[in-house]
Amino acid sequence: MRKEDCSSLLYRIRPSGPMFKFYPHRATLNYYIGCSHNCQYCYARYTMKNVGWEPDDFGRNICIKANAAEVLEKELQKKTWKQTYNGIIHLGTVQDPFQPVERQYHLTDKVLNLLYEHRKPVTILTKSAYVQESLEVLKKMAAEKLVHVDFSVAYTDEELRQKLEPGASTFGERFQAMKTLHDNGRRMYGSCKALLRTFPKVWGTPYNIQISPVFDRGI
């Protein structure tokens, strides 16, 4: 684990970029580089080269942008940002904002409180039940329709999760977190992707996601 300061944090998705039309958000925030969820299929592994590490370091080492909240505050105050940007900010493109290191540094909670103060709309993608620890600020944001939370659930087999997502919350924990946030007025989404169609030769049999637990929680 390594701590370092950053000079900028908000990454604006350029209108001329190839993915612009596919994303509802127009900027991203990533202050943890690396992710201890260590999902074996994650494309973000290659971002480790940006901090001088190798893709295989993705689940073992994390670079923490320790001054993230201070830098974000300055960026949100800039006139150029206020005048030219009025879109959704997304947390969770190359990190899980609620991965275990959040329990020590609380950067996501600080970031969410800042974004709420500036009334910036936010989307969150996570595999972590720890999102419940930011329930208070999420309540305030939801009351003003400033946030929605996506839970990533690619399948529901726990034995497989231990192999493919060894550091992530169990599916039971994720489903319970969905229910907790939903019961407290959060706008919830279950992100279900047919990921494992590419893995049958590796794992011997195809796995299908059981989406009934999502519906059972009102998602």
Side-chain angles (χ1 to χ4, degrees), residues 184-200:
N184 281 274
R186 305 295 68 68
R187 192 176 183 183
M188 297 293 306
Y189 293 84
S191 180
C192 306
K193 305 186 186 303
L195 169 74
L196 294 178
R197 290 181 179 177
T198 61
F199 282 90

Side-chain angles (χ1 to χ4, degrees), residues 4-219:
E4 63 179 37
D5 287 343
C6 59
S7 57
S8 63
L9 194 65
L10 278 166
Y11 176 76
R12 184 173 182 177
I13 299 175
R14 294 179 176 84
S16 59
M19 301 305 292
F20 183 83
K21 64 181 179 180
F22 298 109
Y23 291 147
H25 51 273
R26 293 294 173 255
T28 63
L29 283 173
N30 293 289
Y31 33 83
Y32 298 131
I33 310 302
C35 183
S36 59
H37 286 176
N38 198 21
C39 300
Q40 299 303 297
Y41 51 79
C42 187
Y43 66 87
R45 289 176 170 274
Y46 294 94
T47 63
M48 300 301 280
K49 293 184 176 181
N50 297 335
V51 292
W53 289 333
E54 295 300 318
D56 286 345
D57 292 318
F58 182 72
R60 298 193 297 263
N61 294 323
I62 299 172
C63 180
I64 299 156
K65 304 298 183 180
N67 64 335
E70 292 81 1
V71 171
L72 178 61
E73 174 66 41
K74 291 178 181 178
E75 289 182 317
L76 292 174
Q77 293 287 357
K78 289 181 179 179
K79 287 184 178 180
T80 52
W81 184 262
K82 290 180 177 180
Q83 292 170 355
T84 62
Y85 182 80
N86 193 32
I88 297 169
I89 297 173
H90 183 64
L91 276 62
T93 50
V94 297
Q95 62 170 21
D96 191 306
F98 289 100
Q99 62 177 291
V101 71
E102 169 65 11
R103 300 176 186 179
Q104 181 178 354
Y105 291 96
H106 307 288
L107 291 184
T108 298
D109 199 63
K110 293 176 183 177
V111 163
L112 287 173
N113 275 284
L114 267 175
L115 293 172
Y116 174 66
E117 289 176 15
H118 289 268
R119 299 306 191 270
K120 296 296 183 183
V122 179
T123 57
I124 299 168
L125 178 62
T126 186
K127 288 185 175 77
S128 177
Y130 191 69
V131 64
Q132 298 167 97
E133 297 301 312
S134 289
L135 188 59
E136 290 308 310
V137 64
L138 291 173
K139 281 184 181 180
K140 293 187 289 187
M141 297 183 83
E144 298 183 33
K145 294 182 171 55
L146 290 173
V147 67
H148 77 238
V149 180
D150 294 274
F151 277 87
S152 175
V153 182
Y155 48 94
T156 50
D157 184 276
E158 268 300 316
E159 182 179 354
L160 189 59
R161 182 200 60 77
Q162 292 174 17
K163 296 174 181 177
L164 290 184
E165 305 173 0
S169 295
T170 67
F171 296 116
E173 290 169 340
R174 286 181 229 181
F175 291 139
Q176 182 56 48
M178 287 184 191
K179 185 177 188 306
T180 299
L181 268 64
H182 181 267
D183 290 349
N184 281 274
R186 305 295 68 68
R187 192 176 183 183
M188 297 293 306
Y189 293 84
S191 180
C192 306
K193 305 186 186 303
L195 169 74
L196 294 178
R197 290 181 179 177
T198 61
F199 282 90
K201 290 184 179 179
V202 178
W203 304 109
T205 181
Y207 285 82
N208 296 315
I209 183 169
Q210 300 297 318
I211 62 174
S212 57
V214 179
F215 291 127
D216 289 346
R217 285 154 179 81
I219 309 306

